[in-house]
Amino acid sequence: SWWDGGSQNESAELSPPSGKRRPDAPPPRSQRAAYDPERVTSVPRDGPAKPSRVPAESFGVGMVFEVSPVDSCSVRVAQIDQNCSAGRAGVIHIHDEILKVGGDIVEKQSLVNCKSLILGKQGTYITLTFRRVTSEGPYVYEVDLMRGASEFIEMASQCKAMSLEQAKLLQRVRDLTGLADSQKEELATVKSELRRMEVSLATSRKGGAAELAE
């Protein structure tokens, strides 16, 4: 399994576990990649972990993937960092199987291949397609996620919230400005009607005074 979250300055391999085990046996659960944003580890199906060929300062979306113990040809979600974009999206579940990364089909592909496609420049987006087995049958869905460490994702989230709040305030200002303009027009109409009534009243008074004088 490998952890795709955080930054990668250089690839890192899993430390060999203590004790003896078969050379071709997969690492035990305790040896899975930890939630360390400075380490990105890949474990191919057919051998020990090898450094992956990805650019320096590459970032994932905050998930640990593993080869399914039920179907060795599928790669599924093992862990999710709730502080990264995968966790914040709120739609990905543990054991969901990854099918596509962007436009590339990764079903039946290796962890290394998935890793090389998911990792990328911080702040960029990637579309992932997953399949979930439910009581009603398979459910396939897509989710757009931003690459980046948890601190970067938090900052981006705050900026987005501030932008939304700013947009709401600007709309409120427009609404109030429109209301004020409407009220100004209504006030001008009332003033005009008052002036007309004053003129009419003054004319009536003059006419009445003239009749009394006669």
Side-chain angles (χ1 to χ4, degrees), residues 31-135:
Q31 292 297 317
R32 285 180 178 170
Y35 283 82
D36 183 354
E38 298 302 324
R39 292 172 64 87
V40 179
T41 309
S42 60
V43 181
R45 292 193 181 94
D46 56 353
K50 300 177 181 179
S52 59
R53 297 179 180 179
V54 293
E57 293 300 326
S58 293
F59 294 81
V61 293
M63 287 184 287
V64 171
F65 289 93
E66 66 179 3
V67 176
S68 172
V70 178
D71 178 7
S72 60
C73 293
S74 64
V75 176
R76 67 182 191 177
V77 179
Q79 297 180 45
I80 302 173
D81 185 348
Q82 298 302 320
N83 296 316
C84 288
S85 58
R88 288 172 178 268
V91 297
I92 305 172
H93 292 182
I94 301 297
H95 297 163
D96 285 357
E97 179 187 358
I98 186 166
L99 303 178
K100 293 174 64 177
V101 178
D104 297 303
I105 297 175
V106 296
E107 186 179 10
K108 312 300 182 184
Q109 299 295 318
S110 67
L111 284 168
V112 174
N113 187 44
C114 290
K115 172 184 176 179
S116 63
L117 293 172
I118 292 177
L119 295 179
K121 184 178 180 181
Q122 183 164 242
T124 58
Y125 282 85
I126 185 68
T127 301
L128 303 180
T129 304
F130 293 92
R131 176 168 55 207
R132 180 182 307 153
V133 178
T134 68
S135 58

Side-chain angles (χ1 to χ4, degrees), residues 127-147:
T127 301
L128 303 180
T129 304
F130 293 92
R131 176 168 55 207
R132 180 182 307 153
V133 178
T134 68
S135 58
E136 299 178 354
Y139 166 63
V140 178
Y141 65 94
E142 291 185 350
V143 57
D144 294 326
L145 301 174
M146 178 186 287
R147 298 180 176 101

